[in-house]
Amino acid sequence: VSVSRAIKPFAEPGRPPDWFSQKHCASQYSELLETTETPKRKRGEKGEVVETVEDVIVRKLTAERVEELKKMIKETQEKYRQLKKDAELIQAGHMDNRLEELCNEIMMWVISLL
């Protein structure tokens, strides 16, 4: 329960209501455990830190999330550049015939960020 409750604030919009139920979280975790390779234990000195399955999962999910965030940043930067270019064209008077269309596009983009 505590895990499902703790991660709820970090959800992407559009998740179904039962996404954070105990049952769903447990099934997702079980699936992660089943699809993750178990690290091989090494013989070595006592006190040596051995990577656990949980460590592998955390590393994998962290890397995936970093890639997702990089992609989102890149898309946002591209959109910003396009909007800046459009703003310059509007100020120069070259896009008067497309003002309403551009305004609608900007509003939809702003709404998608919320």
Side-chain angles (χ1 to χ4, degrees), residues 21-34:
S21 69
Q22 278 181 283
K23 185 177 178 181
H24 191 263
C25 285
S27 68
Q28 291 258 336
Y29 184 68
S30 293
E31 185 179 326
L32 278 172
L33 287 175
E34 290 171 7

Side-chain angles (χ1 to χ4, degrees), residues 7-63:
I7 64 173
K8 195 169 190 172
F10 303 104
E12 301 97 16
R15 291 285 184 198
D18 66 338
W19 183 260
F20 296 100
S21 69
Q22 278 181 283
K23 185 177 178 181
H24 191 263
C25 285
S27 68
Q28 291 258 336
Y29 184 68
S30 293
E31 185 179 326
L32 278 172
L33 287 175
E34 290 171 7
T35 59
T36 303
E37 290 184 31
T38 307
K40 299 204 180 345
R41 298 218 176 238
K42 299 177 185 175
R43 289 190 173 192
E45 299 176 20
K46 285 189 176 183
E48 183 179 324
V49 178
V50 177
E51 189 175 49
T52 63
V53 175
E54 290 84 3
D55 294 333
V56 173
I57 290 171
V58 168
R59 190 171 13 86
K60 176 185 169 191
L61 293 177
T62 301

